[in-house]
Amino acid sequence: MPTIAKKKLAEITQNLLSENIENAFLKKTLEELKLLLVEVSGLNQEAAVNSENIFLSSGKAIGPKWAGMCLEDIPRTHKFIKAIQQAVQETLKKNPQKPVTILYAGTGPFATLVLPLLSLYKPSELQLILLEVNTISIESLKRIIKGFDVFEYIKAIYHCDASNFIVPSEFDADILLIECMQHALLREPQVGISYNLLPQMKKEAVLIPEEISLHLALIDTEKKDEYLAIENNEENRDYYKNSEAVFTLNKIEIIENCTNFKKEGFQFPEKETHFSEEQLSNHDLIGVSTEITIFKNISLNTDESGLTVPLLLADLNHDQSVIGAKTQYIVGSEPGLEAQLVRS
Ligand SMILES: C[S@@+](CC[C@H](N)C(=O)[O-])C[C@H]1O[C@@H](n2cnc3c(N)ncnc32)[C@H](O)[C@@H]1O
């Protein structure tokens, strides 16, 4: 079994990383990956227990069924895998004598975003430290490791809450990978985990995603529908108008705020954003948009993935006095951007 599964995984990885892959083939390839992962892990997606989420002090950890389904967000999964491969390649090039170590927080039941890459590297080149809070996902992950016979790549696997996990100092991780998020950094603990783990890593460690920023956004629905009706539309997405970032999660911000973040009662600053009359008259919805730079030039555009779909706040046709919003990113058990509309 391991040999067949390994061979199939290697084939899927080659296809995923092939240049200019066509949409239909990409979809088929990711469907094959999902089937393979479900088969090897034996995860029963229909069992009610696998839909149960866990509520942590830093946000919601989604159940194994939902975490496994994240794979089906095609642009997300494809771009993350490509980005991680690029980051591994660059790190390896800088120091070919030493394996690249990825600390992956919130693996879900399959460690979807790194597993395919194991077929490209030797254990002397790539090592993984895996963190996951859900017991069923951890058990599934162990079956994945056994089923694909990839024990030699695993430096450690922890059943823990990554938002308060202390990383053993001997783990010299090069890349910190976290994908515990929804659009608008809502509900899930991406921010809490990033603020706990990144400050424990060496200065030059790579954070993936490199930057997530939230913006107040105006949307022109008609133009958007026209834009999205064209498949593979490469034109500029001129149907929305983003404000400057109202919240940013990247290395610089985390390092700057991490000491205060740990203090009781810490709050991110409140921001007030207004749009001009002209901007408001050209759009019909106001919401929160999410921009994600995964690594260097690999990013997810607005509306490209479930993670970058705007979170709607109001319909300007019905609420014509709205001119902007006061926003503040809230951390804790229900994280998210609190937004209060400002009216003229
Ligand atoms: C959105 S899913 C993504 C799964 C996988 N990373 C992917 O991208 O396909 C997030 C996963 O992180 C886990 N998780 C969420 N919060 C966590 C925490 N504080 N510590 C460890 N795992 C966590 C959840 O249980 C879930 O399996």
Side-chain angles (χ1 to χ4, degrees):
M1 171 72 172
T3 336
I4 301 170
K6 248 179 157 165
K7 208 168 145 229
K8 185 77 197 145
L9 185 66
E11 251 174 57
I12 288 173
T13 309
Q14 285 304 334
N15 291 341
L16 277 181
L17 296 175
S18 57
E19 296 257 330
N20 305 323
I21 183 168
E22 291 206 351
N23 279 352
F25 186 54
L26 174 59
K27 183 166 179 281
K28 182 173 157 279
T29 306
L30 283 176
E31 280 166 3
E32 282 172 9
L33 177 61
K34 176 90 193 270
L35 281 176
L36 182 65
L37 295 175
V38 170
E39 189 192 331
V40 173
S41 67
L43 185 75
N44 174 5
Q45 300 189 90
E46 298 322 311
V49 67
N50 291 344
S51 300
E52 286 172 15
N53 304 315
I54 302 174
F55 294 88
L56 304 167
S57 58
S58 55
K60 177 169 87 172
I62 59 173
K65 175 177 176 172
W66 316 121
M69 274 169 68
C70 293
L71 183 152
E72 295 163 23
D73 183 334
I74 297 171
R76 177 209 82 116
T77 305
H78 185 219
K79 286 192 168 176
F80 264 87
I81 292 174
K82 280 203 306 188
I84 298 160
Q85 200 257 334
Q86 192 178 319
V88 169
Q89 206 51 41
E90 288 186 17
T91 312
L92 202 54
K93 206 170 155 195
K94 279 188 206 146
N95 193 351
Q97 313 306 329
K98 195 179 145 284
V100 176
T101 300
I102 303 180
L103 173 58
Y104 183 6
T107 58
F110 311 134
T112 306
L113 301 178
V114 296
L115 190 79
L117 298 180
L118 300 186
S119 63
L120 301 177
Y121 298 100
K122 301 192 211 79
S124 58
E125 294 171 320
L126 185 57
Q127 287 287 301
L128 306 176
I129 304 162
L130 307 171
L131 315 184
E132 171 57 56
V133 73
N134 186 292
T135 313
I136 296 173
S137 283
I138 279 278
E139 293 307 322
S140 163
L141 195 57
K142 288 182 181 162
R143 291 192 297 273
I144 286 279
I145 293 166
K146 186 168 181 221
F148 287 103
D149 184 23
V150 290
F151 292 103
E152 286 176 294
Y153 294 87
I154 313 297
K155 207 166 192 169
I157 170 165
Y158 288 95
H159 180 199
C160 68
D161 178 348
S163 60
N164 54 33
F165 179 72
I166 297 178
V167 185
S169 54
E170 69 270 22
F171 289 159
D172 180 27
D174 303 285
I175 297 173
L176 172 59
L177 166 64
I178 310 167
E179 204 287 71
C180 294
M181 65 174 287
Q182 277 185 39
H183 70 157
L185 289 169
L186 194 66
R187 292 191 199 100
E188 292 185 43
Q190 184 84 18
V191 176
I193 296 176
S194 306
Y195 268 85
N196 175 47
L197 295 179
L198 185 82
Q200 299 184 56
M201 302 188 60
K202 61 187 170 196
K203 227 172 67 210
E204 64 274 26
V206 172
L207 175 66
I208 293 183
E210 193 176 312
E211 180 168 287
I212 304 169
S213 60
L214 305 184
H215 308 254
L216 208 60
L218 296 175
I219 301 150
D220 178 338
T221 320
E222 215 177 288
K223 252 190 180 174
K224 173 178 165 172
D225 292 344
E226 280 167 21
Y227 183 99
L228 296 180
I230 301 168
E231 214 185 314
N232 292 333
N233 199 339
E234 298 288 335
E235 296 289 308
N236 256 343
R237 290 175 192 243
D238 64 350
Y239 59 78
Y240 71 97
K241 169 80 195 144
N242 258 353
S243 73
E244 278 185 8
V246 295
F247 179 74
T248 305
L249 187 67
N250 62 19
K251 265 181 82 171
I252 296 175
E253 286 286 322
I254 296 170
I255 298 304
E256 206 173 290
N257 295 323
C258 65
T259 312
N260 287 333
F261 187 87
K262 287 192 210 121
K263 292 185 186 154
E264 185 79 25
F266 167 81
Q267 290 205 314
F268 285 108
E270 191 178 74
K271 301 239 165 107
E272 182 159 338
T273 309
H274 292 179
F275 289 104
S276 70
E277 253 177 58
E278 195 197 338
Q279 289 168 337
L280 289 158
S281 64
N282 288 333
H283 299 85
D284 56 345
L285 296 173
I286 185 165
V288 178
S289 68
T290 311
E291 305 257 299
I292 304 177
T293 303
I294 309 176
F295 181 66
K296 297 200 170 166
N297 59 344
I298 305 183
S299 51
L300 284 170
N301 298 318
T302 295
D303 286 316
E304 192 182 3
S305 141
L307 301 180
T308 56
V309 170
L311 175 76
L312 296 183
L313 295 177
D315 183 337
L316 299 173
N317 295 318
H318 297 121
D319 208 343
Q320 293 187 352
S321 59
V322 171
I323 54 166
K326 268 190 199 159
T327 52
Q328 183 177 31
Y329 193 80
I330 304 293
V331 282
S333 56
E334 282 184 51
L337 192 77
E338 213 169 70
Q340 231 184 321
L341 294 172
V342 174
R343 296 185 168 81
S344 55

